[in-house]
Amino acid sequence: MTLQTRSAPATSLPVSRRLARGAVEFLPPFVVALLILPFVIEHGKLFPWHPSTIDLQVYVYAVKDMLAGKDILATTTPGWGLYFIYPPIAAILMTPLAFGPYWFWQVVWTGGLVWAQQSVLKRCGAPRGWRLGLIGIAVVLAVEPIRTTLGYGQVNTILMALVIADLLPDPPGERRRIPQGTLIGLAAAIKLTPALFVIFMFLIGKRRAAITAIISFAVFTAIGAIFLFRETVIFFGGLSGGDTRTASPLYAGNQSLLGVFFRLGDSSRITTLLGLAVAAILAVLGCLVAAHWWRVGEKVFAVAIVGLTTCLASPLSWTHHYVWILPLAMAVLSAGVPRWARYLGGFWVIWVCVCLPLALLPYGDGRERQYDFLQEVVANLGPVLGVTLLVGLAWQLAGSTRTQLA
C-alpha cells in the first residue's frame, strides 16, 4: 500500500465523530508543544509561562509599526535587534497580531503551527485518529526544524501546509473550494521560495494551476503595494541587489548550497555567483526529477523533493527552514521509492532532525573560517546529502530514459 492511499473521506463521517477525531489528532501535540515551548529558544520561562518566540515578536512589532505609520523594514525588536524581512503583504496579513495580549498570540500561533504540521502528515498518508496524535507528539519533540519553528514562532510549517494542501488534497478528488494554485501563490507572496512549485506545476501538466499561482502571487503582492507601496518597492529592489538583511551565508546554521560554497571557499563575489549558478541548476534538476516521480504516482516524494530543493537552492536556509524534511520522512516509507533513495533520504531525515551543525560546532563572528576537516563535514554534510540524492535520482532517471530509447 502506498502513502497516497487514504481512508474514507472525512466528510462521510458524522460531525460529532469528525470533531472527536480532530481533537484526538490535534490536542496531544498541541499540549506538548505548549509545554516544551519555553525550553526551545533560550531565555524562555515555564513559570510564569513566557516562551522566547523571538520571530513572532518581530511580526508583532512590525504590524504595530505599520499601523502607526512607521517603516516596517526598519522595525527591530528590543534585545535581539531582529528585522522584519518578509514582503509587506505578510505584515498586512498579520494585522490581527497588533490586538490582544502577546501570550494569547503565542498560544494561537503555536496552535496554527501544530494544525499545519498535522495537516501535512495526514495529507502525506499518516494514519488518522489517535495514531496521528502520537505521531504529531513525536514530530514536535524530535524533528528539529518543526520544533524550532514552534520555538521561534516562525511561519515555515504554515507555508508548507499551504503548498501541500494545494497539491495533495484530502481526500483525493474532492471538489476544491479554492482554485488550485491559489495557496501556492499566497505562500510565495509571503516568502518567495515556494515559487519554485510554479515551475513544478508546469512540468507536471498543471498549467492552469501554475497560471493561477502566478496570478495569486501578483494579486497578493499588489495588495501589499497598494497599502505599503514604498516598502514593497524597497523590498523587491533590495532583493534584486542581493540585500537579504540577515546573517552571512557563511553561518553554520545556513544549510543551503551557497552556505557550503562560502564555508569551503571564500566570501568573494566570484564564489557567490558560482554558488548561485549551481543552485539555479540544482533547482531546475530538482523540479525535473520531482515531475517524474509525480507522474509515476509517488506524489508525496515529488512534493518533498521540490520543497527540499527550495531549501538547497535558496541563498539562505536556516536549519528551521527544513520543515520539508517531514514529507520526505513520510515518502521514504513508500516501497515505490528506490531502496537506495529510501536509505539515503532516511539518513538525511535523521541528520536534519538531530541538527549537529548547531549542536556541536562553534559558529558566528567568522568562527566557521577556522573549521578543521571534521567540523567542515558536520557543517556541510546535510546539503551534500541533499545534492547527492537529487543527482542520484537524476542519474537513475537518465539511465532509464536511455534504456527505453535504445
Side-chain angles (χ1 to χ4, degrees):
M1 183 179 293
T2 65
L3 285 173
Q4 282 74 38
T5 300
R6 306 295 211 284
S7 57
T11 52
S12 66
L13 297 174
V15 174
S16 58
R17 286 193 60 188
R18 275 186 282 157
L19 291 175
R21 187 172 72 173
V24 168
E25 293 172 346
F26 170 76
L27 289 178
F30 177 52
V31 171
V32 170
L34 292 177
L35 289 175
I36 71 166
L37 208 60
F39 304 103
V40 179
I41 308 300
E42 60 181 342
H43 306 310
K45 295 180 181 179
L46 183 60
F47 299 109
W49 188 78
H50 185 70
S52 186
T53 48
I54 57 177
D55 283 343
L56 179 60
Q57 187 182 49
V58 175
Y59 307 156
V60 171
Y61 271 78
V63 169
K64 289 183 176 180
D65 280 354
M66 176 186 69
L67 296 179
K70 299 179 182 178
D71 181 4
I72 61 172
L73 300 181
T75 296
T76 57
T77 55
W80 295 90
L82 299 176
Y83 284 93
F84 184 82
I85 59 173
Y86 295 87
I89 182 59
I92 294 171
L93 294 172
M94 295 176 184
T95 297
L97 295 177
F99 307 98
Y102 184 54
W103 66 264
F104 170 78
W105 287 112
Q106 287 178 305
V107 173
V108 171
W109 199 267
T110 301
L113 289 171
V114 171
W115 169 85
Q117 161 198 309
Q118 298 302 88
S119 173
V120 168
L121 284 170
K122 71 177 183 179
R123 292 174 190 274
C124 290
R128 301 296 302 273
W130 63 267
R131 288 177 294 179
L132 181 57
L134 292 179
I135 294 171
I137 292 175
V139 168
V140 166
L141 293 175
V143 181
E144 192 272 352
I146 298 291
R147 186 177 65 250
T148 50
T149 288
L150 285 163
Y152 285 120
Q154 256 280 353
V155 73
N156 308 308
T157 315
I158 294 174
L159 298 183
M160 175 174 63
L162 290 175
V163 171
I164 287 183
D166 232 354
L167 289 170
L168 301 175
D170 182 26
E174 69 177 352
R175 183 176 181 180
R176 293 179 179 273
R177 296 181 177 86
I178 300 174
Q180 187 175 28
T182 304
L183 298 180
I184 289 175
L186 171 59
I190 295 172
K191 188 174 183 179
L192 298 177
T193 49
L196 188 62
F197 281 92
V198 176
I199 298 176
F200 171 67
M201 286 192 292
F202 274 117
L203 290 175
I204 61 176
K206 292 183 176 292
R207 183 172 178 272
R208 177 178 294 181
I211 294 174
T212 299
I214 294 172
I215 294 172
S216 173
F217 171 83
V219 168
F220 282 109
T221 302
I223 293 172
I226 290 171
F227 290 96
L228 297 170
F229 180 78
R230 173 181 169 275
E231 289 84 349
T232 300
V233 171
I234 291 174
F235 176 85
F236 285 100
L239 287 182
S240 65
D243 179 17
T244 61
R245 305 173 75 240
T246 56
S248 166
L250 178 66
Y251 170 52
N254 177 28
Q255 292 292 290
S256 72
L257 194 59
L258 183 61
V260 175
F261 274 78
F262 267 58
R263 288 187 289 271
L264 296 181
D266 54 35
S267 303
S268 67
R269 181 173 178 81
I270 293 177
T271 299
T272 301
L273 293 175
L274 179 62
L276 292 175
V278 174
I281 295 171
L282 188 72
V284 175
L285 184 67
C287 287
L288 291 170
V289 168
H292 163 74
W293 288 103
W294 179 277
R295 286 191 291 268
V296 300
E298 293 294 335
K299 295 184 177 181
V300 175
F301 190 43
V303 172
I305 289 172
V306 181
L308 288 165
T309 298
T310 67
C311 296
L312 293 169
S314 174
L316 298 172
S317 291
W318 309 143
T319 59
H320 58 268
H321 292 164
Y322 272 80
V323 292
W324 288 99
I325 211 69
L326 187 58
L328 181 63
M330 298 297 298
V332 296
L333 299 176
S334 172
V337 176
R339 180 178 298 178
W340 71 266
R342 297 205 305 270
Y343 290 156
L344 180 58
F347 181 59
W348 192 19
V349 169
I350 294 171
W351 183 264
V352 170
C353 289
V354 176
C355 193
L356 291 183
L358 297 185
L360 298 180
L361 300 178
Y363 51 82
D365 298 324
R367 293 183 181 91
E368 291 85 354
R369 288 281 174 234
Q370 282 74 51
Y371 283 175
D372 59 27
F373 174 76
L374 288 179
Q375 288 175 319
E376 290 286 8
V377 170
V378 172
N380 301 309
L381 183 58
V384 170
L385 288 172
V387 171
T388 304
L389 178 62
L390 289 181
V391 172
L393 290 169
W395 181 266
Q396 184 180 54
L397 177 59
S400 63
T401 302
R402 286 195 299 268
T403 301
Q404 293 172 4
L405 294 176

